[in-house]
Amino acid sequence: MTQAITRPLSFMEFVDFEDGNELHEYELVSGRLLLMPEPDDWHEEILEFLSFMFELQCRRNKLSYSVRKRNALMIDNVRGRRPDVAVIDRPPTRREDRKPGIRTVPKFIVEIASGNWSTDLVDKQEEYEALEVQEYWIVDYRGQTPAKYCLRGKGPKVIVLKLTDGIYQKAEYLEREVVPCETFPDLALTVDQILAAEE
């Protein structure tokens, strides 16, 4: 159980950790386990839809990428996140001795904002920027982000962060607007399609 852990954990210990409840998923923040909120059905439908659409792009365009859902991503030795969706370069070989978790820099990350929207918009944005993840989407499907953090007002949207000279440039897309995707240039999904989780 998590209550029994009193010392900071390393990333290696984090990826091996189990508390006996398969529904619990954790992230690692400064060596401490942080229980992730249980996602609702809408959150999961968007996650499955986007991961399917990304897989489709990989196959259609014969891209050597792998689409991962909630895999542990190493930020550093005492921090690990579980992005809703991460697109990474496909490992060249499948070896039995490969260490668990994502240890390369993802090309593209999507976080679907739940009750912990501030983690996605502040902490993870800083971490992914420092890792130099080129493209980062935040799907604010319930419009929870306060207006003071929004460029185009409060409400459901997709926030797109693209790395330029080591710094994220932010844009927001609403309703029938197509969300541009650098990783998959042929992908032409509108915000409405993403929120409805259907083409």
Side-chain angles (χ1 to χ4, degrees):
M1 299 299 290
T2 57
Q3 292 85 353
I5 298 174
T6 56
R7 62 177 180 79
L9 297 179
S10 69
F11 181 79
M12 277 302 301
E13 292 170 317
F14 162 62
V15 293
D16 289 335
F17 175 78
E18 291 182 19
D19 70 355
N21 187 331
E22 62 186 29
L23 296 177
H24 287 174
E25 288 190 324
Y26 295 90
E27 292 185 319
L28 185 69
V29 180
S30 300
R32 302 291 180 194
L33 292 170
L34 179 67
L35 182 63
M36 297 173 68
E38 181 67 18
D40 61 26
D41 288 345
W42 192 3
H43 179 290
E44 295 301 273
E45 286 170 14
I46 294 170
L47 183 154
E48 292 299 332
F49 171 70
L50 287 175
S51 60
F52 173 75
M53 296 304 291
F54 298 162
E55 287 279 5
L56 211 54
Q57 287 292 310
C58 291
R59 293 180 188 197
R60 282 180 179 163
N61 296 297
K62 298 181 171 55
L63 301 171
S64 294
Y65 299 159
S66 179
V67 180
R68 304 289 179 89
K69 296 183 286 188
R70 291 207 192 95
N71 276 189
L73 167 64
M74 184 175 186
I75 304 297
D76 57 32
N77 193 47
V78 293
R79 289 184 295 171
R81 296 294 186 180
R82 290 189 182 276
D84 284 309
V85 185
V87 178
I88 65 171
D89 286 313
R90 184 179 298 141
T93 58
R94 290 181 171 83
R95 298 197 324 258
E96 292 296 321
D97 61 343
R98 189 179 306 282
K99 294 177 181 177
I102 300 170
R103 293 162 184 273
T104 58
V105 176
K107 303 184 83 59
F108 180 23
I109 284 176
V110 177
E111 295 284 5
I112 302 162
S114 300
N116 62 340
W117 62 266
S118 61
T119 302
D120 298 329
L121 198 61
V122 180
D123 301 337
K124 292 183 183 180
Q125 178 177 330
E126 290 175 2
E127 291 168 355
Y128 298 161
E129 184 179 74
L131 275 183
E132 298 188 347
V133 176
Q134 293 297 309
E135 187 168 15
Y136 172 35
W137 289 8
I138 302 169
V139 179
D140 185 8
Y141 64 108
R142 291 192 180 276
Q144 299 177 95
T145 306
K148 69 178 182 178
Y149 293 105
C150 298
L151 301 174
R152 300 179 66 190
K154 185 175 171 64
K157 63 174 61 73
V158 176
I159 300 165
V160 174
L161 297 146
K162 292 184 180 174
L163 203 65
T164 305
D165 298 325
I167 297 171
Y168 275 140
Q169 301 301 314
K170 179 179 175 183
E172 295 178 0
Y173 298 88
L174 313 172
E175 299 174 335
R176 292 182 294 279
E177 295 174 348
V178 172
V179 183
C181 184
E182 283 187 358
T183 308
F184 304 114
D186 296 342
L187 191 69
L189 295 173
T190 66
V191 173
D192 286 342
Q193 286 174 313
I194 292 168
L195 299 188
E198 59 187 25
E199 280 191 273

